[in-house]
Amino acid sequence: MESLSVVVPCFNEEQNVERFYEKLINSTEFLKDRSCGLEIIFVDDGSFDKTYDRIMSVRSNDDRVRLISFSRNFGKEAAMFAGLEKSKGDYVVIMDCDLQDPPELLAEMFKYIDDGYDSVATRRVTRKGEPPIRSFFARCFYKLMKKISATEFVDGARDYRLMTRQMVNAILSMPEYNRFTKGIFGWVGFKTKWLEYENVERVAGETKWSFWKLVGYSIEGIVAFSTKPLMIASAMGVFFCLLAFVMIIFTIVRKLVFGDPVSGWPSLVCIILLLSGIQFFCTGILGQYLARTYMEVKRRPLYVIKEEL
Ligand code: UDP
Ligand code: MG
């Protein structure tokens, strides 16, 4: 018998767990008609509210509910990976606990799987309810990624996605420590159908993503899926070497013609400041890659499980 695994990363979602569960059960009635089993994997990502108890209470009435509880907060990326690793279904879908990923779409998603797609992904076409600066930077990020990365990045893409076992295995074969799942989905390829929907605001609780956390996450994405910034550093080096060469000739010629080698102290200060700024910037870029490499070679596990039921 076929089965579907639903992976739900949860971090401080005490208000949402039960609501999510109910809505999911209602929206997966159609699975019975196609005699497809169901397992729901809640990944408690080190919540410090009552999320754990809520999951346990849901689990006490339904043995299809599984729980993976982390020893601390490892982040959504780690939670998703753990869920995928432990999932047993022939199909796997990742869903947020805050009902921003409408479970009603599942039935439609399965239609496309039947049509031969390997994966059905979702993207929100509006960013209603989001602070305008955040939307602005998010759009810039996607535009930039389109330019500097060979991997496909879709603006507004969510992690809400139904995949076949084959695609899940491909994702699991990428054990990188610095995970940027939105890029990993694109990288593994497979035939993907995109469904669009209007942004839904979270039902309760707060988003876990502060503006600066998102900035950090986008740097993660850039470094993980492009080495273009390193090229930019090299290109700037070449450019300034050429410029210096021209300046040397200019200075020599000026000395020979006008005989004044000393003037130009203010411009010298500006040049030194500009160049040292650029040097630090480039060293910073190098540092970003080096730091990621350092974290990768440590081969630390992505998460630590405290309890698994
Ligand atoms: N989440 C998680 N670990 C974290 C942060 C978030 O497992 O460190 C979960 C969270 O419980 C939710 C999903 O990831 O189910 C999406 O988080 P959130 O709603 O805060 O993000 P947004 O929808 O605002 O992008
Ligand atoms: Mg959310």
Side-chain angles (χ1 to χ4, degrees), residues 109 112-113 115-123 152 154 157-158 160-164 167 171 182 184-195:
M109 287 173 146
Y112 288 105
I113 293 282
D115 286 350
Y117 283 96
D118 301 296
S119 147
V120 186
T122 56
R123 71 181 273 261
E152 194 196 358
V154 177
R158 309 241 348 138
Y160 182 23
R161 187 187 275 256
L162 178 65
M163 294 168 277
T164 59
M167 179 161 175
I171 292 169
K182 285 181 174 44
I184 290 176
F185 285 145
W187 191 92
V188 295
F190 292 105
K191 207 168 138 198
T192 300
K193 170 77 191 169
W194 285 93
L195 299 184

Side-chain angles (χ1 to χ4, degrees), residues 13 16 76 96-101 124 158 199-204 206-209:
E13 301 280 6
N16 295 329
K76 188 184 177 189
D96 285 2
C97 196
D98 57 6
L99 288 171
Q100 278 190 301
D101 298 333
R124 42 183 188 170
R158 309 241 348 138
N199 190 27
V200 188
E201 287 184 48
R202 66 160 41 236
V203 278
E206 292 251 299
T207 173
K208 312 298 177 309
W209 295 90

